[in-house]
Amino acid sequence: MDDSLHVRVTDDETISIDGRLVAGNAELVDALRSALRDNPNVALVIEPVKPEYYTGVAKVIYASQRAGVPVENLRYATGAA
């Protein structure tokens, strides 16, 4: 099982998890909770397409905390293409 979950922030409103587009905060939280049920030690890797998508990144961080992702499992990737 993969130990990382990649969340791509295409812009402040467009977020996908491992290639699957999520619509809204509730779906984002649900998807993260589901991933945690499958693997409680999963590392959440946040990959903004551009570093200035602060709002989108903040949504992912907020949703991750509502879903129960441990802070020590958060990662931030730079240079996503």
Side-chain angles (χ1 to χ4, degrees):
M1 177 176 281
D2 190 9
D3 287 336
S4 62
L5 183 66
H6 295 261
V7 179
R8 185 176 173 97
V9 179
T10 305
D11 59 38
D12 284 336
E13 299 298 323
T14 309
I15 298 169
S16 60
I17 297 178
D18 284 341
R20 184 178 65 85
L21 189 63
V22 293
N25 290 336
E27 186 177 346
L28 179 57
V29 171
D30 289 344
L32 294 173
R33 282 185 180 145
S34 177
L36 280 175
R37 278 192 299 274
D38 294 342
N39 181 358
N41 296 315
V42 69
L44 178 62
V45 181
I46 303 169
E47 302 173 337
V49 172
K50 292 185 180 179
E52 56 269 8
Y53 293 140
Y54 303 116
T55 301
V57 170
K59 286 179 185 180
V60 174
I61 293 171
Y62 176 74
S64 73
Q65 297 310 287
R66 286 190 55 209
V69 175
V71 174
E72 60 270 14
N73 288 10
L74 292 178
R75 308 289 184 271
Y76 186 82
T78 58

